[in-house]
Amino acid sequence: GREADRCPMRLLTLVGRPPRRYDVQQSRAVRMQLQGSPFAEDAIWEACGRSTEFANPMAGAAAQAVRRHYLRTLALQLPYEAEAKGLQKRFEDAKQTA
């Protein structure tokens, strides 16, 4: 989180998954199947400036998103290690792509 906030430009390739997408065959919007943690998706959304389509990172947003991610999993008494690894991988993938 803090490392990403030091250089927000590295977050430009970090985008969330939209909750819906337009299906041409059905001619309507359909819900996307989430793969992974919905808490990680929320953290990505917050770190990207509250957008799923275009990253608009703001200073301090990544660290704050990671803190909230931790608090959400703690509140629900979920094992944090797996959650943290998944979120960290998304941040690292974006950093390498940028």
Side-chain angles (χ1 to χ4, degrees):
R2 288 185 196 156
E3 181 183 338
D5 283 333
R6 285 188 202 112
C7 186
M9 295 302 287
R10 291 183 177 173
L11 294 178
L12 289 178
T13 58
L14 181 70
V15 291
R17 294 183 178 98
R20 300 174 197 267
R21 69 171 175 81
Y22 185 78
D23 188 329
V24 176
Q25 293 176 340
Q26 296 181 22
S27 297
R28 66 181 182 96
V30 294
R31 285 192 166 274
M32 299 283 292
Q33 294 291 329
L34 272 181
Q35 296 176 353
S37 167
F39 301 122
E41 287 302 318
D42 285 347
I44 299 296
W45 176 75
E46 290 176 17
C48 290
R50 299 180 181 255
S51 175
T52 57
E53 294 183 54
F54 305 102
N56 186 20
M58 300 179 312
Q64 188 176 21
V66 171
R67 272 189 237 103
R68 285 184 181 152
H69 177 259
Y70 172 73
L71 293 174
R72 284 182 192 114
T73 55
L74 190 66
L76 294 173
Q77 298 177 347
L78 297 173
Y80 186 65
E81 186 176 351
E83 286 281 333
K85 284 182 181 180
L87 184 58
Q88 182 179 8
K89 182 178 179 343
R90 296 280 299 275
F91 276 101
E92 287 176 355
D93 289 347
K95 179 180 170 182
Q96 288 178 351
T97 304

